[in-house]
Amino acid sequence: MERTFAIIKPDAVQRNITGKILERIEANGFKVVGMKRLHLTPEQAMGFYYVHSARPFFKDLCNYMASGPAVVLVLEKEGAIAEWRKLMGATNPEAAENGTIRKDFGVSLEKNSVHGSDSPESAAFEIPYFFNALELV
């Protein structure tokens, strides 16, 4: 079994579609082994997205992620990282395939409703950024 990290972003939480996204996750065979609702500070968002710190969108991304509550998750499934990336769809909802979370729920490139680890290395950083081992069951 592989684990990956996911976020239901502030735009989706604000629109009260967390349950719909969780239903889609579980319907696609993922087991939720960790889940928290939290409100990131700008500093926490900057720490999480540090890999993008040199990019022009970094400040806007961090401000957006600190704009309201989000739900952070650890998902488990065979091939979880690739499977979650597939279920999320392309970063830009307009370019995402039909039936993906971003196509169905995303509003814009920034407000695309979900985040997911893109590699085993990023999952290894992202999961313990939000969860300790005792919180994963």
Side-chain angles (χ1 to χ4, degrees), residues 59-100:
K59 184 177 178 182
D60 289 340
L61 172 63
C62 293
N63 287 336
Y64 160 66
M65 289 302 294
S67 70
V71 175
V72 294
L73 305 142
V74 178
L75 307 176
E76 187 176 79
K77 179 180 181 176
E78 288 293 333
I81 294 168
E83 290 295 314
W84 175 234
R85 304 288 303 167
K86 181 179 173 184
L87 181 58
M88 283 193 306
T91 304
N92 185 342
E94 291 181 16
E97 290 185 35
N98 288 332
T100 63

Side-chain angles (χ1 to χ4, degrees), residues 24-125:
R24 184 84 59 92
I25 289 167
E26 290 182 328
N28 279 272
F30 290 93
K31 179 180 176 186
V32 177
V33 296
M35 181 167 56
K36 295 181 188 181
R37 182 181 168 124
L38 46 78
H39 192 148
L40 291 173
T41 65
E43 294 76 21
Q44 289 167 327
M46 285 187 248
F48 181 73
Y49 285 109
Y50 81 96
V51 297
H52 299 302
S53 61
R55 301 212 174 154
F57 60 81
F58 178 69
K59 184 177 178 182
D60 289 340
L61 172 63
C62 293
N63 287 336
Y64 160 66
M65 289 302 294
S67 70
V71 175
V72 294
L73 305 142
V74 178
L75 307 176
E76 187 176 79
K77 179 180 181 176
E78 288 293 333
I81 294 168
E83 290 295 314
W84 175 234
R85 304 288 303 167
K86 181 179 173 184
L87 181 58
M88 283 193 306
T91 304
N92 185 342
E94 291 181 16
E97 290 185 35
N98 288 332
T100 63
I101 291 172
R102 288 177 172 158
K103 183 68 165 187
D104 294 344
F105 301 115
V107 175
S108 66
L109 181 61
E110 181 180 78
K111 295 179 179 179
N112 61 12
S113 300
V114 290
H115 163 89
S117 300
D118 62 6
S119 67
E121 294 77 21
S122 65
F125 168 76

